[in-house]
Amino acid sequence: AHESKVYSWVPAYDDLVCLLDLSRPTVESGLQGPVKISTMKSAHDTTIAGGFSGEYAVRAAGTTGPGVQGYVTKDANGITNHVDIIPSRTNRSPQGIFASNDRHLRVLDCETNTFVADHELSRAINCTATSPDGRLRVLIGDSADAWVVAADTGRPVHPLRGHRDFGFACAWAPDMHHIATSNQD
């Protein structure tokens, strides 16, 4: 990401392509000006960027135009801390998983541009990772503990304890037996 844009670069061909341009948002989006990108992800033929003021943009691979732009939240503390893209278990479209500083985890159906879930939590979420089978999710944020939650409901399943300070990164191993968390301790 650079200057409100997300690029794809293929070094072997020195091929640079702008995937998302949030330097001049569309009027229809309601965005108020250039977006300061705080997080981004490309996976499952989809690119998503999140912004410091709760903005987001989605663009499917092979499409033209600006893609879809809007707000995850308009909360004053709504920085988009992390975005992930996962395959949906119920339809063909991928889902965008947004972790925000406003203590919400939101799930976007990328095909319909509809938020299909909004889980309010007790703390800001800085990172999320979904299990390979799509049924569980690990959350880490402004707490020493990480949590495994049910992906569909956000219901807590199991705490992960042992850190002494806030967390900022997590990952789920493909074997479904291991979770990595990274905290500022």
Side-chain angles (χ1 to χ4, degrees), residues 52-82:
F52 275 88
S53 297
E55 312 95 335
Y56 76 97
V58 178
R59 184 164 168 208
T63 61
T64 59
V68 176
Q69 302 170 359
Y71 283 95
V72 177
T73 179
K74 291 189 177 182
D75 186 290
N77 194 28
I79 182 174
T80 308
N81 291 330
H82 185 261

PDB file of all heavy atoms in Angstrom, residues 52-82:
ATOM      1  N   PHE A  52      -8.034   3.966   8.419  1.00  0.00           N
ATOM      2  CA  PHE A  52      -7.899   4.502   9.772  1.00  0.00           C
ATOM      3  C   PHE A  52      -9.203   5.075  10.316  1.00  0.00           C
ATOM      4  O   PHE A  52      -9.334   5.268  11.516  1.00  0.00           O
ATOM      5  CB  PHE A  52      -6.816   5.586   9.804  1.00  0.00           C
ATOM      6  CG  PHE A  52      -5.436   5.041   9.973  1.00  0.00           C
ATOM      7  CD1 PHE A  52      -4.692   4.669   8.863  1.00  0.00           C
ATOM      8  CD2 PHE A  52      -4.885   4.882  11.225  1.00  0.00           C
ATOM      9  CE1 PHE A  52      -3.417   4.157   9.011  1.00  0.00           C
ATOM     10  CE2 PHE A  52      -3.607   4.363  11.385  1.00  0.00           C
ATOM     11  CZ  PHE A  52      -2.874   3.999  10.270  1.00  0.00           C
ATOM     12  N   SER A  53     -10.161   5.380   9.465  1.00  0.00           N
ATOM     13  CA  SER A  53     -11.435   5.941   9.925  1.00  0.00           C
ATOM     14  C   SER A  53     -12.596   4.997   9.653  1.00  0.00           C
ATOM     15  O   SER A  53     -13.725   5.436   9.439  1.00  0.00           O
ATOM     16  CB  SER A  53     -11.682   7.298   9.254  1.00  0.00           C
ATOM     17  OG  SER A  53     -10.685   8.217   9.640  1.00  0.00           O
ATOM     18  N   GLY A  54     -12.327   3.700   9.627  1.00  0.00           N
ATOM     19  CA  GLY A  54     -13.382   2.703   9.453  1.00  0.00           C
ATOM     20  C   GLY A  54     -13.777   2.437   8.011  1.00  0.00           C
ATOM     21  O   GLY A  54     -14.737   1.731   7.755  1.00  0.00           O
ATOM     22  N   GLU A  55     -13.047   2.960   7.054  1.00  0.00           N
ATOM     23  CA  GLU A  55     -13.372   2.750   5.653  1.00  0.00           C
ATOM     24  C   GLU A  55     -12.919   1.361   5.186  1.00  0.00           C
ATOM     25  O   GLU A  55     -12.084   0.736   5.805  1.00  0.00           O
ATOM     26  CB  GLU A  55     -12.674   3.777   4.742  1.00  0.00           C
ATOM     27  CG  GLU A  55     -12.780   5.213   5.173  1.00  0.00           C
ATOM     28  CD  GLU A  55     -11.585   5.678   5.995  1.00  0.00           C
ATOM     29  OE1 GLU A  55     -10.905   4.840   6.641  1.00  0.00           O
ATOM     30  OE2 GLU A  55     -11.347   6.887   6.013  1.00  0.00           O
ATOM     31  N   TYR A  56     -13.496   0.929   4.051  1.00  0.00           N
ATOM     32  CA  TYR A  56     -13.012  -0.290   3.411  1.00  0.00           C
ATOM     33  C   TYR A  56     -13.258  -0.212   1.912  1.00  0.00           C
ATOM     34  O   TYR A  56     -14.064   0.587   1.434  1.00  0.00           O
ATOM     35  CB  TYR A  56     -13.680  -1.547   3.989  1.00  0.00           C
ATOM     36  CG  TYR A  56     -15.100  -1.768   3.518  1.00  0.00           C
ATOM     37  CD1 TYR A  56     -15.378  -2.635   2.462  1.00  0.00           C
ATOM     38  CD2 TYR A  56     -16.167  -1.112   4.126  1.00  0.00           C
ATOM     39  CE1 TYR A  56     -16.674  -2.845   2.028  1.00  0.00           C
ATOM     40  CE2 TYR A  56     -17.456  -1.319   3.696  1.00  0.00           C
ATOM     41  CZ  TYR A  56     -17.715  -2.187   2.657  1.00  0.00           C
ATOM     42  OH  TYR A  56     -19.003  -2.380   2.226  1.00  0.00           O
ATOM     43  N   ALA A  57     -12.550  -1.056   1.185  1.00  0.00           N
ATOM     44  CA  ALA A  57     -12.757  -1.204  -0.258  1.00  0.00           C
ATOM     45  C   ALA A  57     -12.503  -2.667  -0.602  1.00  0.00           C
ATOM     46  O   ALA A  57     -11.633  -3.308  -0.026  1.00  0.00           O
ATOM     47  CB  ALA A  57     -11.815  -0.298  -1.042  1.00  0.00           C
ATOM     48  N   VAL A  58     -13.291  -3.171  -1.545  1.00  0.00           N
ATOM     49  CA  VAL A  58     -13.189  -4.560  -1.997  1.00  0.00           C
ATOM     50  C   VAL A  58     -13.179  -4.571  -3.520  1.00  0.00           C
ATOM     51  O   VAL A  58     -13.957  -3.853  -4.156  1.00  0.00           O
ATOM     52  CB  VAL A  58     -14.399  -5.401  -1.525  1.00  0.00           C
ATOM     53  CG1 VAL A  58     -14.304  -6.832  -2.033  1.00  0.00           C
ATOM     54  CG2 VAL A  58     -14.540  -5.366  -0.027  1.00  0.00           C
ATOM     55  N   ARG A  59     -12.307  -5.402  -4.073  1.00  0.00           N
ATOM     56  CA  ARG A  59     -12.297  -5.560  -5.528  1.00  0.00           C
ATOM     57  C   ARG A  59     -11.971  -7.010  -5.855  1.00  0.00           C
ATOM     58  O   ARG A  59     -10.994  -7.569  -5.360  1.00  0.00           O
ATOM     59  CB  ARG A  59     -11.274  -4.644  -6.165  1.00  0.00           C
ATOM     60  CG  ARG A  59     -11.309  -4.731  -7.679  1.00  0.00           C
ATOM     61  CD  ARG A  59     -10.586  -3.573  -8.301  1.00  0.00           C
ATOM     62  NE  ARG A  59     -10.388  -3.832  -9.703  1.00  0.00           N
ATOM     63  CZ  ARG A  59      -9.412  -3.342 -10.402  1.00  0.00           C
ATOM     64  NH1 ARG A  59      -8.538  -2.529  -9.846  1.00  0.00           N
ATOM     65  NH2 ARG A  59      -9.293  -3.615 -11.670  1.00  0.00           N
ATOM     66  N   ALA A  60     -12.804  -7.596  -6.681  1.00  0.00           N
ATOM     67  CA  ALA A  60     -12.577  -8.966  -7.132  1.00  0.00           C
ATOM     68  C   ALA A  60     -11.573  -8.960  -8.273  1.00  0.00           C
ATOM     69  O   ALA A  60     -11.532  -8.024  -9.079  1.00  0.00           O
ATOM     70  CB  ALA A  60     -13.892  -9.596  -7.596  1.00  0.00           C
ATOM     71  N   ALA A  61     -10.757 -10.003  -8.337  1.00  0.00           N
ATOM     72  CA  ALA A  61      -9.765 -10.129  -9.413  1.00  0.00           C
ATOM     73  C   ALA A  61     -10.480 -10.174 -10.754  1.00  0.00           C
ATOM     74  O   ALA A  61     -11.580 -10.706 -10.877  1.00  0.00           O
ATOM     75  CB  ALA A  61      -8.942 -11.393  -9.217  1.00  0.00           C
ATOM     76  N   GLY A  62      -9.865  -9.557 -11.737  1.00  0.00           N
ATOM     77  CA  GLY A  62     -10.408  -9.574 -13.086  1.00  0.00           C
ATOM     78  C   GLY A  62     -11.519  -8.576 -13.350  1.00  0.00           C
ATOM     79  O   GLY A  62     -12.082  -8.550 -14.440  1.00  0.00           O
ATOM     80  N   THR A  63     -11.847  -7.741 -12.355  1.00  0.00           N
ATOM     81  CA  THR A  63     -12.878  -6.727 -12.564  1.00  0.00           C
ATOM     82  C   THR A  63     -12.227  -5.383 -12.838  1.00  0.00           C
ATOM     83  O   THR A  63     -11.065  -5.166 -12.519  1.00  0.00           O
ATOM     84  CB  THR A  63     -13.809  -6.597 -11.341  1.00  0.00           C
ATOM     85  OG1 THR A  63     -13.040  -6.199 -10.206  1.00  0.00           O
ATOM     86  CG2 THR A  63     -14.519  -7.912 -11.049  1.00  0.00           C
ATOM     87  N   THR A  64     -12.983  -4.490 -13.428  1.00  0.00           N
ATOM     88  CA  THR A  64     -12.494  -3.136 -13.684  1.00  0.00           C
ATOM     89  C   THR A  64     -13.273  -2.163 -12.808  1.00  0.00           C
ATOM     90  O   THR A  64     -14.285  -2.519 -12.214  1.00  0.00           O
ATOM     91  CB  THR A  64     -12.666  -2.762 -15.165  1.00  0.00           C
ATOM     92  OG1 THR A  64     -14.056  -2.856 -15.507  1.00  0.00           O
ATOM     93  CG2 THR A  64     -11.855  -3.685 -16.052  1.00  0.00           C
ATOM     94  N   GLY A  65     -12.805  -0.955 -12.767  1.00  0.00           N
ATOM     95  CA  GLY A  65     -13.473   0.063 -11.964  1.00  0.00           C
ATOM     96  C   GLY A  65     -12.925   0.093 -10.549  1.00  0.00           C
ATOM     97  O   GLY A  65     -12.013  -0.651 -10.196  1.00  0.00           O
ATOM     98  N   PRO A  66     -13.505   0.949  -9.717  1.00  0.00           N
ATOM     99  CA  PRO A  66     -12.962   1.167  -8.375  1.00  0.00           C
ATOM    100  C   PRO A  66     -13.284   0.059  -7.377  1.00  0.00           C
ATOM    101  O   PRO A  66     -12.749   0.048  -6.276  1.00  0.00           O
ATOM    102  CB  PRO A  66     -13.625   2.480  -7.947  1.00  0.00           C
ATOM    103  CG  PRO A  66     -14.924   2.485  -8.684  1.00  0.00           C
ATOM    104  CD  PRO A  66     -14.638   1.824 -10.013  1.00  0.00           C
ATOM    105  N   GLY A  67     -14.165  -0.844  -7.714  1.00  0.00           N
ATOM    106  CA  GLY A  67     -14.598  -1.849  -6.748  1.00  0.00           C
ATOM    107  C   GLY A  67     -15.645  -1.248  -5.843  1.00  0.00           C
ATOM    108  O   GLY A  67     -16.223  -0.208  -6.132  1.00  0.00           O
ATOM    109  N   VAL A  68     -15.898  -1.891  -4.739  1.00  0.00           N
ATOM    110  CA  VAL A  68     -16.892  -1.436  -3.771  1.00  0.00           C
ATOM    111  C   VAL A  68     -16.178  -0.699  -2.654  1.00  0.00           C
ATOM    112  O   VAL A  68     -15.141  -1.159  -2.168  1.00  0.00           O
ATOM    113  CB  VAL A  68     -17.670  -2.645  -3.209  1.00  0.00           C
ATOM    114  CG1 VAL A  68     -18.643  -2.210  -2.137  1.00  0.00           C
ATOM    115  CG2 VAL A  68     -18.392  -3.379  -4.319  1.00  0.00           C
ATOM    116  N   GLN A  69     -16.720   0.438  -2.252  1.00  0.00           N
ATOM    117  CA  GLN A  69     -16.131   1.234  -1.181  1.00  0.00           C
ATOM    118  C   GLN A  69     -17.217   1.594  -0.178  1.00  0.00           C
ATOM    119  O   GLN A  69     -18.378   1.743  -0.546  1.00  0.00           O
ATOM    120  CB  GLN A  69     -15.520   2.516  -1.739  1.00  0.00           C
ATOM    121  CG  GLN A  69     -14.455   2.279  -2.781  1.00  0.00           C
ATOM    122  CD  GLN A  69     -14.025   3.563  -3.492  1.00  0.00           C
ATOM    123  OE1 GLN A  69     -14.535   4.637  -3.227  1.00  0.00           O
ATOM    124  NE2 GLN A  69     -13.071   3.431  -4.390  1.00  0.00           N
ATOM    125  N   GLY A  70     -16.831   1.716   1.080  1.00  0.00           N
ATOM    126  CA  GLY A  70     -17.798   2.094   2.100  1.00  0.00           C
ATOM    127  C   GLY A  70     -17.164   2.129   3.473  1.00  0.00           C
ATOM    128  O   GLY A  70     -15.948   2.250   3.610  1.00  0.00           O
ATOM    129  N   TYR A  71     -18.021   1.997   4.490  1.00  0.00           N
ATOM    130  CA  TYR A  71     -17.569   2.034   5.880  1.00  0.00           C
ATOM    131  C   TYR A  71     -17.848   0.707   6.568  1.00  0.00           C
ATOM    132  O   TYR A  71     -18.949   0.168   6.448  1.00  0.00           O
ATOM    133  CB  TYR A  71     -18.276   3.146   6.666  1.00  0.00           C
ATOM    134  CG  TYR A  71     -17.731   4.519   6.389  1.00  0.00           C
ATOM    135  CD1 TYR A  71     -18.317   5.336   5.437  1.00  0.00           C
ATOM    136  CD2 TYR A  71     -16.627   4.994   7.079  1.00  0.00           C
ATOM    137  CE1 TYR A  71     -17.807   6.603   5.173  1.00  0.00           C
ATOM    138  CE2 TYR A  71     -16.115   6.261   6.824  1.00  0.00           C
ATOM    139  CZ  TYR A  71     -16.710   7.055   5.874  1.00  0.00           C
ATOM    140  OH  TYR A  71     -16.196   8.306   5.616  1.00  0.00           O
ATOM    141  N   VAL A  72     -16.864   0.224   7.291  1.00  0.00           N
ATOM    142  CA  VAL A  72     -17.066  -0.889   8.206  1.00  0.00           C
ATOM    143  C   VAL A  72     -17.800  -0.337   9.425  1.00  0.00           C
ATOM    144  O   VAL A  72     -18.737  -0.921   9.935  1.00  0.00           O
ATOM    145  CB  VAL A  72     -15.718  -1.511   8.644  1.00  0.00           C
ATOM    146  CG1 VAL A  72     -15.932  -2.624   9.670  1.00  0.00           C
ATOM    147  CG2 VAL A  72     -14.937  -2.012   7.457  1.00  0.00           C
ATOM    148  N   THR A  73     -17.353   0.827   9.882  1.00  0.00           N
ATOM    149  CA  THR A  73     -17.951   1.516  11.015  1.00  0.00           C
ATOM    150  C   THR A  73     -17.664   3.008  10.879  1.00  0.00           C
ATOM    151  O   THR A  73     -16.675   3.393  10.265  1.00  0.00           O
ATOM    152  CB  THR A  73     -17.381   0.992  12.353  1.00  0.00           C
ATOM    153  OG1 THR A  73     -17.979   1.726  13.430  1.00  0.00           O
ATOM    154  CG2 THR A  73     -15.872   1.157  12.431  1.00  0.00           C
ATOM    155  N   LYS A  74     -18.532   3.807  11.460  1.00  0.00           N
ATOM    156  CA  LYS A  74     -18.282   5.250  11.512  1.00  0.00           C
ATOM    157  C   LYS A  74     -17.949   5.689  12.931  1.00  0.00           C
ATOM    158  O   LYS A  74     -17.910   6.873  13.230  1.00  0.00           O
ATOM    159  CB  LYS A  74     -19.483   6.010  10.966  1.00  0.00           C
ATOM    160  CG  LYS A  74     -19.645   5.814   9.464  1.00  0.00           C
ATOM    161  CD  LYS A  74     -20.679   6.733   8.881  1.00  0.00           C
ATOM    162  CE  LYS A  74     -20.758   6.544   7.373  1.00  0.00           C
ATOM    163  NZ  LYS A  74     -21.709   7.449   6.751  1.00  0.00           N
ATOM    164  N   ASP A  75     -17.680   4.733  13.799  1.00  0.00           N
ATOM    165  CA  ASP A  75     -17.265   5.017  15.172  1.00  0.00           C
ATOM    166  C   ASP A  75     -15.969   5.824  15.143  1.00  0.00           C
ATOM    167  O   ASP A  75     -15.073   5.540  14.354  1.00  0.00           O
ATOM    168  CB  ASP A  75     -17.055   3.694  15.922  1.00  0.00           C
ATOM    169  CG  ASP A  75     -16.758   3.888  17.395  1.00  0.00           C
ATOM    170  OD1 ASP A  75     -15.659   4.380  17.722  1.00  0.00           O
ATOM    171  OD2 ASP A  75     -17.623   3.536  18.211  1.00  0.00           O
ATOM    172  N   ALA A  76     -15.867   6.820  16.017  1.00  0.00           N
ATOM    173  CA  ALA A  76     -14.666   7.668  16.060  1.00  0.00           C
ATOM    174  C   ALA A  76     -13.409   6.862  16.379  1.00  0.00           C
ATOM    175  O   ALA A  76     -12.302   7.265  16.036  1.00  0.00           O
ATOM    176  CB  ALA A  76     -14.852   8.785  17.085  1.00  0.00           C
ATOM    177  N   ASN A  77     -13.570   5.706  17.016  1.00  0.00           N
ATOM    178  CA  ASN A  77     -12.448   4.844  17.363  1.00  0.00           C
ATOM    179  C   ASN A  77     -12.456   3.595  16.463  1.00  0.00           C
ATOM    180  O   ASN A  77     -12.054   2.522  16.880  1.00  0.00           O
ATOM    181  CB  ASN A  77     -12.525   4.440  18.842  1.00  0.00           C
ATOM    182  CG  ASN A  77     -11.237   3.842  19.334  1.00  0.00           C
ATOM    183  OD1 ASN A  77     -10.163   4.155  18.839  1.00  0.00           O
ATOM    184  ND2 ASN A  77     -11.343   2.977  20.316  1.00  0.00           N
ATOM    185  N   GLY A  78     -12.916   3.750  15.227  1.00  0.00           N
ATOM    186  CA  GLY A  78     -13.172   2.603  14.363  1.00  0.00           C
ATOM    187  C   GLY A  78     -12.065   2.196  13.422  1.00  0.00           C
ATOM    188  O   GLY A  78     -12.346   1.588  12.391  1.00  0.00           O
ATOM    189  N   ILE A  79     -10.819   2.489  13.732  1.00  0.00           N
ATOM    190  CA  ILE A  79      -9.734   2.071  12.841  1.00  0.00           C
ATOM    191  C   ILE A  79      -9.867   0.577  12.529  1.00  0.00           C
ATOM    192  O   ILE A  79     -10.173  -0.226  13.398  1.00  0.00           O
ATOM    193  CB  ILE A  79      -8.343   2.379  13.444  1.00  0.00           C
ATOM    194  CG1 ILE A  79      -7.227   1.989  12.471  1.00  0.00           C
ATOM    195  CG2 ILE A  79      -8.164   1.706  14.784  1.00  0.00           C
ATOM    196  CD1 ILE A  79      -5.839   2.388  12.938  1.00  0.00           C
ATOM    197  N   THR A  80      -9.681   0.246  11.276  1.00  0.00           N
ATOM    198  CA  THR A  80      -9.702  -1.155  10.865  1.00  0.00           C
ATOM    199  C   THR A  80      -8.309  -1.710  11.139  1.00  0.00           C
ATOM    200  O   THR A  80      -7.358  -1.410  10.428  1.00  0.00           O
ATOM    201  CB  THR A  80     -10.067  -1.288   9.371  1.00  0.00           C
ATOM    202  OG1 THR A  80     -11.266  -0.560   9.131  1.00  0.00           O
ATOM    203  CG2 THR A  80     -10.274  -2.737   8.993  1.00  0.00           C
ATOM    204  N   ASN A  81      -8.204  -2.525  12.179  1.00  0.00           N
ATOM    205  CA  ASN A  81      -6.909  -3.048  12.607  1.00  0.00           C
ATOM    206  C   ASN A  81      -6.419  -4.211  11.749  1.00  0.00           C
ATOM    207  O   ASN A  81      -5.222  -4.394  11.584  1.00  0.00           O
ATOM    208  CB  ASN A  81      -6.976  -3.504  14.066  1.00  0.00           C
ATOM    209  CG  ASN A  81      -7.134  -2.352  15.020  1.00  0.00           C
ATOM    210  OD1 ASN A  81      -6.677  -1.252  14.747  1.00  0.00           O
ATOM    211  ND2 ASN A  81      -7.784  -2.586  16.135  1.00  0.00           N
ATOM    212  N   HIS A  82      -7.350  -5.017  11.251  1.00  0.00           N
ATOM    213  CA  HIS A  82      -6.956  -6.222  10.516  1.00  0.00           C
ATOM    214  C   HIS A  82      -8.097  -6.655   9.606  1.00  0.00           C
ATOM    215  O   HIS A  82      -9.266  -6.502   9.945  1.00  0.00           O
ATOM    216  CB  HIS A  82      -6.642  -7.347  11.515  1.00  0.00           C
ATOM    217  CG  HIS A  82      -6.124  -8.589  10.882  1.00  0.00           C
ATOM    218  ND1 HIS A  82      -6.925  -9.665  10.632  1.00  0.00           N
ATOM    219  CD2 HIS A  82      -4.892  -8.926  10.444  1.00  0.00           C
ATOM    220  CE1 HIS A  82      -6.207 -10.629  10.074  1.00  0.00           C
ATOM    221  NE2 HIS A  82      -4.964 -10.194   9.947  1.00  0.00           N
TER     222      HIS A  82
END
